[in-house]
Amino acid sequence: MRIHKEGHLIILMALLLLGGVSFAIYWFLPLFIALPLVSAAFIFFLLIVNFFIVPKRVSPATANQILCPADGKVVVIEEVEETEYFKDRRIQVSVFMSPLNVHANWNPISGTVKYAKYHPGKFLVAWHPKSSTENERTTIVIEHENKKEILFRQIAGAVARRIIYYSKENEPAQQGTEFGFIKFGSRIDVFLPLDAKIEVELNQKVTGCNTIIASF
């Protein structure tokens, strides 16, 4: 278990800000008022730290299995038209992440990054049907050694307004390694070939880098 590198600066800033506010509260307000407020500030700080804690995980997947890229709950499993990259029919599996989930994102398969693009956009709630195409997002495509491609998309939400991704086109991707991080809740869409065997169900709670969502 570790603190994710994307949280180091935020945690430091929160510590300084909340520490300063707590000191002022304790110094200037009566004790019976100050103690609950300082306690609330401390709990809030612990929640921020907890948000950036990433457990150590080892992928159980084989080469032909597709890992879930994020913690959360499966909110969509349906056949759709993917319009950005494939421009054809795909099976979409979407995972919604609450602010309490681990927010690191893991590569679902090994292969070569064929496409990686950031899109500025809106901040609709992450479960809104149009969030996949209108919200701030990144789109990444990995080509498997079997020549099949998987597209996955990080989507910002009403709270999550900072998407981090590390994937670069034409570079190798290793299944189960981190490709990014979404700060403070959102969702990930995964677009699979129509012949992929889906291994999850709607409303199932899933774990990034551990749960197998599909297989070739």
Side-chain angles (χ1 to χ4, degrees):
M1 193 170 292
R2 60 185 172 84
I3 300 295
H4 197 279
K5 63 182 181 181
E6 301 297 342
H8 293 169
L9 180 58
I10 290 177
I11 291 172
L12 177 60
M13 291 174 63
L15 177 62
L16 294 175
L17 177 61
L18 293 175
V21 170
S22 297
F23 178 80
I25 289 172
Y26 190 78
W27 185 262
F28 292 107
L29 294 180
L31 191 59
F32 72 94
I33 296 177
L35 283 179
L37 293 176
V38 171
S39 298
F42 180 69
I43 292 172
F44 183 62
F45 176 73
L46 291 181
L47 289 174
I48 293 174
V49 172
N50 181 72
F51 180 84
F52 290 101
I53 290 177
V54 180
K56 184 178 181 180
R57 292 177 180 170
V58 178
S59 165
T62 64
N64 287 323
Q65 294 177 316
I66 301 163
L67 280 176
C68 185
D71 286 20
K73 183 173 74 171
V74 177
V75 293
V76 173
I77 301 176
E78 63 181 0
E79 183 178 324
V80 298
E81 186 79 15
E82 198 292 306
T83 58
E84 180 180 349
Y85 180 83
F86 294 119
K87 296 179 173 61
D88 63 12
R89 304 294 289 179
R90 298 278 153 165
I91 299 175
Q92 177 182 335
V93 177
S94 298
V95 176
F96 173 74
M97 295 175 283
S98 80
L100 298 179
N101 288 128
V102 173
H103 275 65
N105 303 145
W106 291 268
N107 284 310
I109 60 173
S110 295
T112 302
V113 178
K114 306 298 289 186
Y115 182 80
K117 188 173 182 180
Y118 167 79
H119 303 272
K122 300 178 181 178
F123 296 98
L124 302 172
V125 290
W127 55 85
H128 194 290
K130 293 185 177 180
S131 66
S132 182
T133 55
E134 295 188 9
N135 275 21
E136 178 182 338
R137 63 200 181 278
T138 64
T139 302
I140 299 166
V141 178
I142 296 179
E143 183 184 66
H144 192 266
E145 60 181 11
N146 63 14
K147 300 305 179 183
K148 292 186 177 182
E149 294 177 322
I150 300 295
L151 182 152
F152 43 102
R153 181 174 291 137
Q154 297 171 297
I155 303 170
V159 177
R161 295 178 178 240
R162 188 72 177 97
I163 293 175
I164 309 294
Y165 73 104
Y166 314 123
S167 301
K168 295 182 180 179
E169 291 182 6
N170 301 316
E171 290 191 351
Q174 181 65 41
Q175 185 182 59
T177 59
E178 285 186 33
F179 76 84
F181 193 94
I182 304 179
K183 295 181 179 180
F184 302 112
S186 197
R187 80 183 229 193
I188 286 191
D189 293 344
V190 183
F191 293 85
L192 307 165
L194 292 179
D195 60 355
K197 180 184 178 183
I198 305 303
E199 307 283 0
V200 292
E201 300 176 348
L202 274 177
N203 299 315
Q204 178 179 335
K205 291 184 179 180
V206 291
T207 305
C209 194
N210 284 165
T211 302
I212 294 167
I213 60 169
S215 54
F216 290 115

